[in-house]
Amino acid sequence: MDINGAKMKSTVNKRRSIATRWFVNSFAAVAVILALMSIGLFLMLRQYYYSAVEQLLQSEAAIISGVLSRYHGSFGVIESNEIRRSIEEFDKKSQMELMAIDSNGEIVLTSSGFSPESYEIPDFDRAKQSSAGTGLYVGYFRSSVNSRNSSEKYMAVTVMLPASTGGNDGQSTYTAIRLVASLEAVDEQIYTFTVFVAVLSIATLFLLLLLGLYFVRSIVSPLRQIGNTAKRLAGGDFSVRITQTKNEDEIGDLCKVINEMADELELSESLKNDFISSVSHELRTPLTAIKGWSETVLELRDDSTTEKGMNVIISETDRLTSMVEELLDFSRIQSGGFTLQQANMAIIEELSEAITVYTERANREGIRLVFDCEVHDYIVYGDKNRIRQVFLNIIDNAIKYSEKGSEVRIEVISDEMQISIYVIDRGHGIKRVDLPKVKHKFFKANNNRRGSGIGLAVADEIVTLHGGNLSVKSEFGKGTTVRISFPLVKI
């Protein structure tokens, strides 16, 4: 008991809903993609802006070092006054700071006029080791303002100068110039844009979450209802219906199909119950008659009584046989084992024989059977026994539902392509609401009349298998017309 309960609990825990799968497979994937895009955009912007700053510093350093190099080429030495003048007259002080580095690797002159605190100069070391004489460094330098430590990010480019620099006395020597630019404004611009993209991504994810949850709910809610409805239908409750069918999509179509299936199941269940009740009654009546007359014949042993009783027994036996044949035919149709023995046949001959079979019965019941046909050489490719069965069933129904003193007409109309047989009665007719159901299995428009309710369904199936059509037109209280059409064989 505990093991089964644990397995069931494990199965429930392992089952993931549509909402969970959507969140894991879709929402999470979009979130990861947006996060990677934001990170990638940040790195691209950082690379772009830093490269722009580096290019600007390199360009300015190249210009200044080029001027000083040409000065050195002309005079053989770079005067300290020339370097000082270049630094003091530097025209881009607002964007960057120009510095001069002496032979000891210390900054001795700056374009701002302020001597920086002592700190390492990695770009100077890199410039000395580089064959091109330039070095680049991005980092932080710390300063103390109002007893509070702060750090600032910067980028520096150092360019080595020609070896002979200084005054006439050779006492002062400059080995490199250095350009430094703060990256705070650049980083602020990058961060601002990145934050904007991140907020936009979060807003997109939030909107996607809301829309996704609404969409998933619009799917999950009807699916749950469909599942519950299917369970109740499987349990035999055919009265349940799905109320949420307003969606004009695949879910809505599925809901409509489920409801239509429930209607059909409910109708089939009702027809089945009516059929069982009707067949039980139909079987009980002839069996009761057979048993009663058999006992009477044995008890009285009178010739006239025996003859009358045997006629009743034969009639009721034929009736039982006919019902059993209908049930067998219906069973074969349902199982796909219904076969036809087809060949060219004279259809009017089979119709005439069927009419002959019921002529005496119609006379006994006070019903006039009228056959209107002039030509008798219509050839149809079919199973004559099955086609005769159709005629017998239709004529039997026409007589069954007609009143004494009325008339049943059989008319034949044809063209080059097909032949149509009309069986017309002036009986009770069929109600408009019942007319679409008359060819359904087990359906009986009038439960007070004998019959199983499957004869017309079998007849319709036989006609369809022959490539024909069986249609019923009726007006309640005025009568019914059954049209049976078959394709003709060209001779």
Side-chain angles (χ1 to χ4, degrees):
M1 184 73 176
D2 293 337
I3 295 176
N4 293 334
K7 288 182 178 179
M8 184 178 295
K9 185 176 181 181
S10 175
T11 302
V12 172
N13 291 335
K14 288 181 179 179
R15 189 183 70 178
R16 296 195 302 174
S17 66
I18 292 177
T20 304
R21 293 204 304 271
W22 171 82
F23 184 83
V24 172
N25 298 333
S26 299
F27 182 80
V30 173
V32 170
I33 291 172
L34 288 176
L36 293 176
M37 287 178 60
S38 299
I39 295 173
L41 182 62
F42 169 77
L43 295 176
M44 289 174 61
L45 286 174
R46 185 174 179 274
Q47 179 65 28
Y48 173 78
Y49 280 110
Y50 278 27
S51 295
V53 174
E54 179 185 352
Q55 186 176 359
L56 179 62
L57 292 176
Q58 293 280 14
S59 177
E60 288 297 323
I63 293 173
I64 296 171
S65 64
V67 172
L68 295 176
S69 295
R70 286 194 296 273
Y71 188 89
H72 179 271
S74 301
F75 300 99
V77 66
I78 303 176
E79 295 287 345
S80 59
N81 291 334
E82 181 64 23
I83 295 178
R84 184 184 298 275
R85 184 181 64 79
S86 297
I87 292 176
E88 290 177 353
E89 295 179 358
F90 185 55
D91 58 351
K92 294 184 178 178
K93 296 178 182 179
S94 60
Q95 299 179 15
M96 61 192 73
E97 186 173 11
L98 179 59
M99 303 177 181
I101 303 175
D102 64 9
S103 58
N104 295 322
E106 295 182 358
I107 300 172
V108 292
L109 293 175
T110 65
S111 59
S112 64
F114 295 99
S115 297
E117 298 178 1
S118 177
Y119 61 88
E120 295 181 356
I121 312 176
D123 47 294
F124 175 68
D125 297 331
R126 295 174 183 174
K128 288 192 297 182
Q129 298 173 4
S130 172
S131 59
T134 60
L136 174 69
Y137 176 71
V138 177
Y140 296 87
F141 64 81
R142 299 183 178 275
S143 62
S144 178
V145 181
N146 296 329
S147 300
R148 296 179 63 182
N149 292 328
S150 63
S151 60
E152 182 178 0
K153 194 173 185 180
Y154 70 94
M155 180 182 291
V157 172
T158 298
V159 178
M160 301 300 294
L161 294 175
S164 179
T165 61
N168 294 329
D169 54 4
Q171 293 179 354
S172 180
T173 303
Y174 300 98
T175 59
I177 59 170
R178 188 179 191 233
L179 284 169
V180 180
S182 174
L183 295 176
E184 293 297 315
V186 173
D187 285 344
E188 184 178 355
Q189 186 76 13
I190 295 172
Y191 292 140
T192 300
F193 193 81
T194 303
V195 168
F196 172 76
V197 172
V199 171
L200 185 62
S201 299
I202 293 173
T204 302
L205 285 175
F206 182 72
L207 181 61
L208 178 64
L209 180 62
L210 291 180
L211 294 177
L213 290 177
Y214 174 78
F215 175 71
V216 170
R217 184 178 179 183
S218 68
I219 294 178
V220 171
S221 179
L223 284 181
R224 286 175 179 169
Q225 196 174 90
I226 290 172
N228 294 332
T229 301
K231 288 179 182 178
R232 293 179 63 179
L233 289 174
D237 183 6
F238 302 124
S239 63
V240 64
R241 295 294 183 274
I242 300 172
T243 57
Q244 189 171 345
T245 57
K246 61 182 180 179
N247 295 333
E248 297 296 332
D249 54 15
E250 290 82 357
I251 297 294
D253 293 340
L254 180 59
C255 292
K256 292 177 183 177
V257 169
I258 295 293
N259 284 342
E260 291 173 359
M261 181 185 71
D263 292 338
E264 291 296 325
L265 289 173
E266 186 176 27
L267 177 61
S268 296
E269 182 69 12
S270 176
L271 293 177
K272 183 187 73 173
N273 294 333
D274 292 341
F275 167 75
I276 292 173
S277 176
S278 176
V279 169
S280 299
H281 175 74
E282 292 293 328
L283 291 174
R284 183 175 57 192
T285 300
L287 287 173
T288 301
I290 292 171
K291 181 181 179 182
W293 277 102
S294 298
E295 292 174 348
T296 301
V297 168
L298 288 173
E299 182 179 348
L300 298 179
R301 297 182 182 277
D302 179 74
D303 291 341
S304 61
T305 303
T306 300
E307 183 180 356
K308 183 179 180 180
M310 292 306 295
N311 287 332
V312 171
I313 290 173
I314 291 171
S315 175
E316 295 300 324
T317 302
D318 289 340
R319 184 176 165 190
L320 285 174
T321 302
S322 177
M323 290 179 60
V324 171
E325 287 297 329
E326 282 187 352
L327 292 174
L328 288 174
D329 287 340
F330 175 74
S331 176
R332 294 188 190 102
I333 290 172
Q334 293 296 104
S335 63
F338 193 82
T339 58
L340 300 174
Q341 303 296 326
Q342 292 180 286
N344 287 344
M345 54 167 284
I347 190 170
I348 298 301
E349 290 183 8
E350 302 303 324
L351 178 59
S352 299
E353 291 185 14
I355 293 172
T356 301
V357 170
Y358 281 100
T359 299
E360 185 178 351
R361 174 189 156 191
N363 292 333
R364 287 198 310 267
E365 297 183 12
I367 298 171
R368 193 160 66 98
L369 205 57
V370 180
F371 180 39
D372 183 8
C373 180
E374 297 180 355
V375 184
H376 298 272
D377 58 352
Y378 299 114
I379 304 300
V380 170
Y381 183 73
D383 187 329
K384 64 179 183 178
N385 294 323
R386 293 302 182 184
I387 290 179
R388 185 192 307 166
Q389 178 183 346
V390 171
F391 293 150
L392 290 171
N393 180 275
I394 301 303
I395 296 173
D396 177 62
N397 285 340
I399 296 173
K400 185 192 309 180
Y401 290 100
S402 295
E403 295 294 334
K404 185 177 182 179
S406 63
E407 177 183 272
V408 174
R409 293 185 61 84
I410 296 96
E411 299 178 355
V412 177
I413 298 176
S414 68
D415 55 28
E416 295 182 356
M417 301 298 296
Q418 68 175 10
I419 181 172
S420 297
I421 296 96
Y422 293 85
V423 180
I424 307 165
D425 67 66
R426 296 292 180 263
H428 293 286
I430 304 170
K431 294 179 181 179
R432 181 177 296 180
V433 67
D434 292 332
L435 194 57
K437 309 172 187 175
V438 292
K439 293 193 289 185
H440 290 185
K441 55 183 180 293
F442 309 136
F443 180 78
K444 292 176 66 177
N446 189 345
N447 289 321
N448 294 324
R449 301 286 180 173
R450 60 183 177 83
S452 62
I454 61 175
L456 194 59
V458 172
D460 180 62
E461 184 69 23
I462 292 173
V463 173
T464 302
L465 290 174
H466 282 84
N469 177 262
L470 188 152
S471 61
V472 181
K473 292 183 179 180
S474 183
E475 188 174 351
F476 187 66
K478 294 185 177 181
T480 302
T481 299
V482 178
R483 175 179 175 267
I484 311 164
S485 62
F486 294 101
L488 289 172
V489 175
K490 293 183 179 180
I491 300 177

